[in-house]
Amino acid sequence: PAKADAGSTPSFEMTWSSTTSSGYCSQEDSDSELEQYFTARTSLARRPRRDQDEPVEWETPDLSQAEIEQKIKEYNAQINSNLFMSLNKDGSYTGFIKVQLKLVRPVSVPSSKKPPSLQDARRGPGRGTSVRRRTSFYLPKDAVKHLHVLSRTRAREVIEALLRKFLVVDDPRKFALFERAERHGQVYLRKLLDDEQPLRLRLLAGPSDKALSFVLKENDSGEVNWDAFSMPELHNFLRILQREEEEHLRQILQKYSYCRQKIQEALHACPLG
């Protein structure tokens, strides 16, 4: 594999392994289309899911340089591909991590006549270009991407690199990187902190996907991070909330009006005296 730059800027390379097509739809200025993807109930309220993975935390030991070298040798001996890890002269190491995309909501990209192609994703967004109009589309379900990273590459940088590859202009804080493990028939899931190093976790766990895999998901932390939304999205939420409030008020007034009517009918039916 190609060696990554030993400088402060992480090196990213992507291997495309999914042929699933994405659902693409224009969403430039239409409020009705925005409402297909956002409602106050589904986007703002945190609801439990029956099939949600069980969260878990586990410790990751610190390794000496000799232990890192031994771990890399053991790791490379177990893989059947060319996705090796390589030790650098400065003591850092490079390797590949595989990230599965499990996004349920569409993402925003610069408005164009067609979705970003493979070549567009490899080039990334043009320098100095400001995004004024956006188009939303669904990324391929369960797409798998390989990133070539440094040992010091952080989880937040991995998220940003994935978004750049797809020309996604959404705030990176809307997304989170998770580690997933299968143990004794149970699935465990843990959200990585921004400063955690995915390649280090990969080395400690070994190459088995059951022992460890990475998943990119929406960052549903239970609290809404309003700063992560754009102005059109925030205005759209306000319109939805207003309509829901008006609907709830209508239902309440209707309920009490019905009760009042029944009470009045009962009073009129009662004989005088």
Side-chain angles (χ1 to χ4, degrees):
K3 292 185 178 180
D5 183 11
S8 59
T9 303
S11 171
F12 296 100
E13 297 176 1
M14 176 166 288
T15 302
W16 297 72
S17 57
S18 173
T19 57
T20 308
S21 61
S22 62
Y24 179 76
C25 54
S26 176
Q27 200 183 65
E28 296 174 355
D29 298 311
S30 172
D31 293 338
S32 62
E33 287 175 340
L34 277 173
E35 291 164 14
Q36 295 179 33
Y37 310 127
F38 300 102
T39 67
R41 291 191 183 94
T42 59
S43 294
L44 305 186
R46 180 177 176 84
R47 299 183 297 177
R49 294 179 295 177
R50 295 179 181 177
D51 59 345
Q52 188 172 17
D53 294 330
E54 180 180 348
V56 70
E57 294 184 4
W58 54 80
E59 296 182 356
T60 55
D62 291 328
L63 301 178
S64 66
Q65 192 62 29
E67 290 173 326
I68 291 176
E69 294 180 15
Q70 182 61 30
K71 279 282 188 181
I72 291 177
K73 291 179 181 179
E74 295 173 356
Y75 182 96
N76 291 339
Q78 296 179 59
I79 61 175
N80 297 319
S81 63
N82 61 346
L83 304 180
F84 297 104
M85 288 196 187
S86 302
L87 188 64
N88 299 321
K89 293 181 179 180
D90 61 357
S92 65
Y93 50 96
T94 61
F96 293 85
I97 60 171
K98 183 171 67 174
V99 182
Q100 183 182 26
L101 279 67
K102 298 188 69 173
L103 302 177
V104 297
R105 293 193 283 268
V107 296
S108 299
V109 298
S111 180
S112 62
K113 296 181 180 179
K114 61 180 181 179
S117 64
L118 176 61
Q119 290 75 20
D120 293 334
R122 289 188 182 279
R123 284 196 300 267
R127 296 182 179 179
T129 59
S130 60
V131 178
R132 296 183 179 180
R133 298 173 68 105
R134 297 182 177 185
T135 300
S136 293
F137 76 104
Y138 287 94
L139 288 176
K141 185 178 180 180
D142 292 335
V144 175
K145 304 293 175 262
H146 289 86
L147 289 175
H148 188 230
V149 299
L150 288 162
S151 55
R152 55 177 170 265
T153 300
R154 300 174 297 171
R156 178 54 49 188
E157 293 173 308
V158 169
I159 295 173
E160 293 170 353
L162 284 169
L163 298 182
R164 284 198 301 270
K165 293 295 183 180
F166 284 104
L167 307 182
V168 175
V169 294
D170 291 315
D171 194 304
R173 290 175 293 178
K174 289 185 180 181
F175 307 91
L177 191 65
F178 291 79
E179 61 176 358
R180 187 175 188 272
E182 298 180 26
R183 298 178 182 177
H184 310 294
Q186 298 291 326
V187 174
Y188 301 93
L189 193 71
R190 184 181 73 90
K191 184 170 77 170
L192 299 186
L193 301 176
D194 286 351
D195 291 335
E196 288 193 73
Q197 300 163 332
L199 188 62
R200 178 174 175 270
L201 298 174
R202 177 81 279 167
L203 178 63
L204 291 172
S208 172
D209 286 337
K210 288 187 176 181
L212 177 71
S213 60
F214 295 106
V215 182
L216 182 70
K217 303 175 70 174
E218 282 87 2
N219 189 15
D220 295 326
S221 60
E223 296 183 0
V224 179
N225 183 12
W226 297 113
D227 293 334
F229 291 94
S230 65
M231 290 295 292
E233 289 173 330
L234 292 173
H235 284 299
N236 189 60
F237 280 135
L238 288 176
R239 287 194 294 269
I240 294 172
L241 287 172
Q242 181 179 356
R243 283 199 290 270
E244 289 193 354
E245 180 183 9
E246 292 172 353
E247 176 61 22
H248 283 305
L249 288 174
R250 187 191 66 79
Q251 292 176 1
I252 292 173
L253 291 174
Q254 184 179 11
K255 173 184 176 181
Y256 283 96
S257 176
Y258 176 80
C259 290
R260 187 180 298 107
Q261 179 183 350
K262 290 299 181 183
I263 293 172
Q264 291 174 349
E265 290 176 358
L267 286 174
H268 289 307
C270 290
L272 298 176

